[in-house]
Amino acid sequence: MKKLALHWQILIGMALGVVFALILSNFEWGADFIGDWIKPFGTIFINSLKLIAVPLILASLIKGVSDLKDISKLSQMGVRTIGTYVITTIIAVSIGLTVVNVVKPGSTISEETREELVANYGGEADLKRQDAEKQKNAGPLQALVDIVPSNIVGASSNNANMLQVIFFAIFFGIGLILIPEKTAEPVKAFFDGFNEVILKMIDIIMLAAPYGVFALLAALVVESPSADLFAALAMYALCVISGLLLMIGVYILIVWIFTKRSPKFFLNGISPAQLLAFSTSSSAATLPVTMERVEEHLGVEREVSSFVLPIGATINMDGTSLYQAVAAVFIAQAFGMDLSFATQLGIIATATLASIGSAAVPGAGMVMLVIVLAQAGIPEAGLALIFAIDRPLDMCRTTVNVTGDASVSMLVAKAVGKLRDQPLVKNWDDNYKK
Ligand code: ASP
């Protein structure tokens, strides 16, 4: 019997998770049952993905950088990668601004709903504000200081320090290029083998993906707030989602134009990572799967994927920046403010920077939204308006974030001649069967 493709298995797992939770929420004990007996499996699944992230970045980036054999190639690729990331982010913010200005979802919010939302979510919004406050108080160069760890073991002990691990790996890779080849060889071979093992572990974890997403979505359904509030925010949510869909269209188009890969090829290759991004709301947790899919199913060679993707997971968040633009203007509209053209241009700049600064974890985009609001002079209390619907939108924007990273990696790979015509698909039991 032909095996069902992974993305279908994951989709079925997601759908069953939702249906299961909807059925169980009719019973008084349903939510507790899911919290106690189902949700932990989702947590285990996410943990196992996060577990892989640091060793994967270390091994693949060290190997990838050292394979470039030449530091000028590295800087060329770096400039190309960052440049493309910034351009896609600016496109995303502009799409968001256009949609929200045309649809004007904020004007559909009644005074009454606004007050209700502020009363319900004011407290939670305050917590986000405090988180943002910490970041705002830092000096202008703090972001740069934060990239350089003072201790590599310390840096690797926290997934939030991904940029520090990336820094170490690139630095180590450069060292490896500069030492005599004979001495470098065993080190490279070690990291190569290490990387293969990690990729195999991802294959094994992915066998559990349909069950993992079942648990994650079931838990989300029983924890989500009431449907009435969702309805009040429907127009806003629709703006974010249609902007995000347009952005996916942009990726498909640029991949098609610049690499001649069909939409079907691209989406088939990347969809399991997209579905995981949707289910986990974290591009960092999805990173191992994104890397595996991009290398083995989209044909990007490791030298490029190992460099472009970990950096992308931390700094390239097109979905987040698009959402921040829509949310900021929506809040302004709901408070009856008219934003000038100059303020909206300011939003393009701050949303681009804020998305770069957002951590790749659930809800991070909302914390950084505070900074976009503050810059544009929009009341930060407005966060409470969009709180109720943030999680589902987080799921959607994370999907776009991951898709963006994957498409940019294909563009960069094509530009530097590292895009394979035929991807080398590897299954978890390839060697085992023989
Ligand atoms: N959850 C998003 C991510 O990990 C970040 C955000 O927008 O909150 O990509």
Side-chain angles (χ1 to χ4, degrees), residues 10-74:
I10 298 180
L11 266 175
I12 294 172
M14 291 164 77
L16 289 179
V18 172
V19 173
F20 179 75
L22 288 177
I23 296 176
L24 254 70
S25 43
N26 291 319
F27 302 96
E28 216 175 283
W29 47 267
D32 285 343
F33 177 83
I34 289 181
D36 290 343
W37 296 99
I38 305 292
K39 190 178 174 187
F41 291 102
T43 312
I44 292 174
F45 177 63
I46 295 199
N47 284 352
S48 59
L49 284 171
K50 289 186 181 162
L51 170 73
I52 300 288
V54 168
L56 175 66
I57 294 178
L58 269 179
S60 73
L61 204 49
I62 289 174
K63 174 75 177 47
V65 170
S66 65
D67 277 349
L68 288 173
K69 297 199 176 71
D70 176 350
I71 297 178
S72 69
K73 272 198 203 151
L74 178 68

Side-chain angles (χ1 to χ4, degrees), residues 78-358:
V79 170
R80 209 178 277 268
T81 303
I82 310 269
T84 320
Y85 277 153
V86 172
I87 294 172
T88 56
T89 307
I90 293 177
I91 296 177
V93 186
S94 311
I95 291 181
L97 281 180
T98 311
V99 174
V100 73
N101 278 300
V102 170
V103 181
K104 297 198 177 19
S107 38
T108 62
I109 289 269
S110 69
E111 179 84 33
E112 200 188 336
T113 319
R114 195 177 81 196
E115 272 157 23
E116 191 190 341
L117 286 166
V118 173
N120 278 352
Y121 291 99
E124 278 144 328
D126 267 345
L127 292 179
K128 295 269 173 196
R129 260 208 307 270
Q130 283 160 18
D131 280 351
E133 205 54 47
K134 283 184 215 140
Q135 312 217 18
K136 262 197 289 187
N137 288 338
L141 290 185
Q142 191 56 40
L144 212 55
V145 174
D146 286 343
I147 294 179
V148 185
S150 59
N151 183 312
I152 185 57
V153 180
S156 327
S157 69
N158 184 348
N159 282 2
N161 296 336
M162 205 101 95
L163 275 182
Q164 300 192 340
V165 177
I166 292 174
F167 175 84
F168 177 80
I170 294 179
F171 200 3
F172 192 98
I174 293 175
L176 209 51
I177 294 179
L178 296 177
I179 62 173
E181 209 162 323
K182 211 168 139 258
T183 330
E185 218 36 70
V187 184
K188 279 195 207 169
F190 168 78
F191 281 111
D192 203 17
F194 195 91
N195 196 52
E196 286 298 319
V197 176
I198 301 280
L199 285 174
K200 198 49 82 184
M201 288 167 79
I202 298 170
D203 284 342
I204 298 171
I205 296 172
M206 287 308 278
L207 295 177
Y211 308 98
V213 295
F214 172 92
L216 287 171
L217 284 213
L220 261 179
V221 170
V222 292
E223 284 167 2
S224 59
S226 82
D228 317 351
L229 287 177
F230 277 16
L233 295 172
M235 279 313 271
Y236 156 70
L238 224 64
C239 280
V240 177
I241 293 172
S242 40
L244 293 175
L245 285 174
L246 280 174
M247 199 56 209
I248 300 252
V250 170
Y251 296 135
I252 292 177
L253 201 66
I254 52 178
V255 165
W256 190 47
I257 293 175
F258 292 103
T259 73
K260 307 277 176 301
R261 299 295 188 270
S262 72
K264 185 163 174 264
F265 171 85
F266 177 62
L267 291 176
N268 270 348
I270 198 62
S271 51
Q274 289 177 315
L275 294 173
L276 274 198
F278 184 82
S279 310
T280 60
S281 278
S282 164
S283 4
T286 314
L287 178 64
V289 180
T290 318
M291 289 183 76
E292 194 246 17
R293 297 300 299 185
V294 164
E295 276 175 33
E296 294 182 12
H297 296 261
L298 294 178
V300 175
E301 287 188 27
R302 187 168 302 155
E303 280 143 79
V304 174
S305 62
S306 67
F307 180 80
V308 178
L309 293 173
I311 295 182
T314 32
I315 69 164
N316 181 50
M317 299 202 179
D318 300 341
T320 300
S321 63
L322 188 151
Y323 142 86
Q324 285 169 337
V326 176
V329 178
F330 167 78
I331 292 172
Q333 289 169 349
F335 281 99
M337 290 169 67
D338 244 345
L339 296 180
S340 67
F341 186 63
T343 315
Q344 304 228 12
L345 280 185
I347 292 181
I348 297 191
T350 44
T352 303
L353 292 175
S355 70
I356 291 176
S358 302

